[in-house]
Every structure is written in structure tokens, then in C-alpha cells.
């Protein structure tokens, strides 16, 4: 609010000093101040919403790893650990706006995800069901994170 009021006063001073009585002010300065004020408010609101959604989706992924700890097939446990590591790398790279590391981590995540899917047939039915629910949660939330960061 203080910035907007200050910009309004500054714009008013510029308007008063740069206009003659007969002419309308055609200075781009006043329109730029109005544009900056409205643009900034919208950006801040959108960024807050994006950050809160990012935290929500990241938390859901992290919490879902608790559901698939210590499955009966050891190779899948190690691949789930790798999946968790690559997702963590992806989240940190996304937060840092590091597109190169983000793409590397996403590629590694996809490979680990596919390996987990290959191994799931070696699990008992109950564990397969838990793993399938886990994989759906991970894939959904990763897609939502991608959508958020692509739109910001």
C-alpha cells in the first residue's frame, strides 16, 4: 500500500509539473506507474499461491514414501531409495530455478520410476497394490509441480 501511495504521489507530481492547462498528459510515466502497481499485486498473489501449492505437492510426495518402506523384494527397495533421491534433487533444482539440474534430475527420476514399475511384478499382491498407489501419487504430484513451475 505504501508503495502504491508513493507511486501515486510521484505520478501526481509528474502530472502537475509536466502538463499545461489545455493539454492532457500523454506522458508514459503515469501509465507505467499504474501498470507496475497492478502487475506487481497480481504477481505477488500468484507467486504465493504457486509456492503454497509447491509445498503441498512436495509434501505429499515425501509423505508417500513412508507407505512403501521395506518391501519384500530388496532390489525394489534400493530403486525406491533412488527414486526418492532424484525427486529430492528435482525439488531443490526447481526451487532454485536451476533448469539444467532440474532436467537431469527429472530424467533420472523417470528412469528410476520405470525400474520400480518393472520390479513390481515380483511383489506379493498386497505390496503391489501399495506400490501402485504410491506410484500414482508420485506421478500426479510431480506433474502438478511441473505445471506450477512452467506457469510461473
Amino acid at each position: 500500500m505504501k508503495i502504491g501511495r508513493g507511486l501515486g504521489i510521484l505520478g501526481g507530481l509528474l502530472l502537475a509539473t509536466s502538463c499545461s492547462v489545455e493539454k492532457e498528459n500523454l506522458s508514459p510515466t503515469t501509465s507505467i506507474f499504474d501498470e507496475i502497481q497492478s502487475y506487481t499485486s497480481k504477481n505477488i498473489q500468484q507467486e504465493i499461491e504457486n509456492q503454497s501449492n509447491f509445498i503441498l505437492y512436495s509434501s505429499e510426495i515425501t509423505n508417500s514414501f513412508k507407505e512403501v518402506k521395506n518391501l519384500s523384494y530388496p532390489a525394489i527397495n534400493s530403486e525406491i531409495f533412488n527414486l526418492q533421491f532424484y525427486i529430492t534433487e528435482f525439488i531443490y533444482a526447481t526451487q532454485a530455478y536451476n533448469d539444467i539440474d532440474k532436467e537431469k534430475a527429472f530424467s533420472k527420476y523417470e528412469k528410476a520410476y520405470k525400474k520400480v514399475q518393472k520390479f513390481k511384478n515380483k511383489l506379493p499382491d498386497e505390496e503391489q497394490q501399495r506400490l501402485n498407489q504410491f506410484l500414482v501419487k508420485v506421478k500426479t504430484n510431480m506433474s502438478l509441480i511441473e505445471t506450477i513451475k512452467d506457469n510461473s
Side-chain angles (χ1 to χ4, degrees):
M1 276 310 222
K2 292 180 181 180
I3 294 173
R5 185 175 275 163
L7 290 175
I9 292 171
L10 182 61
L13 289 173
L14 288 172
L15 179 67
T17 57
S18 66
C19 299
S20 66
V21 176
E22 308 103 34
K23 291 186 176 182
E24 187 177 323
N25 182 14
L26 300 176
S27 171
T29 310
T30 53
S31 64
I32 289 173
F33 286 133
D34 291 338
E35 205 173 301
I36 289 172
Q37 185 177 3
S38 67
Y39 182 71
T40 305
S41 303
K42 290 176 188 173
N43 276 354
I44 290 172
Q45 182 180 3
Q46 184 64 41
E47 186 61 29
I48 289 170
E49 185 177 329
N50 286 346
Q51 285 299 321
S52 61
N53 286 336
F54 180 80
I55 291 167
L56 172 71
Y57 303 143
S58 301
S59 298
E60 285 186 19
I61 291 172
T62 304
N63 291 336
S64 65
F65 278 99
K66 295 174 187 171
E67 298 171 9
V68 291
K69 287 206 174 205
N70 301 324
L71 298 174
S72 61
Y73 190 62
I76 204 166
N77 288 327
S78 94
E79 209 50 54
I80 288 173
F81 177 80
N82 290 339
L83 185 68
Q84 184 175 13
F85 179 76
Y86 298 138
I87 289 173
T88 303
E89 281 187 336
F90 173 81
I91 289 171
Y92 286 135
T94 303
Q95 284 177 322
Y97 297 96
N98 185 341
D99 290 335
I100 294 170
D101 286 346
K102 178 181 156 185
E103 291 302 317
K104 286 180 186 176
F106 192 80
S107 175
K108 291 176 183 178
Y109 146 76
E110 286 179 324
K111 289 176 185 173
Y113 188 92
K114 288 175 185 174
K115 284 182 183 178
V116 169
Q117 283 184 320
K118 286 179 187 176
F119 289 141
K120 75 179 178 183
N121 295 330
K122 298 183 180 188
L123 296 171
D125 288 341
E126 180 187 317
E127 287 184 353
Q128 276 187 27
Q129 188 176 8
R130 271 188 13 223
L131 184 62
N132 283 333
Q133 290 172 348
F134 162 76
L135 292 172
V136 168
K137 281 182 186 178
V138 167
K139 188 113 177 165
T140 301
N141 287 302
M142 287 292 284
S143 297
L144 291 169
I145 289 172
E146 274 288 291
T147 303
I148 289 171
K149 291 303 178 178
D150 287 344
N151 291 336
S152 56

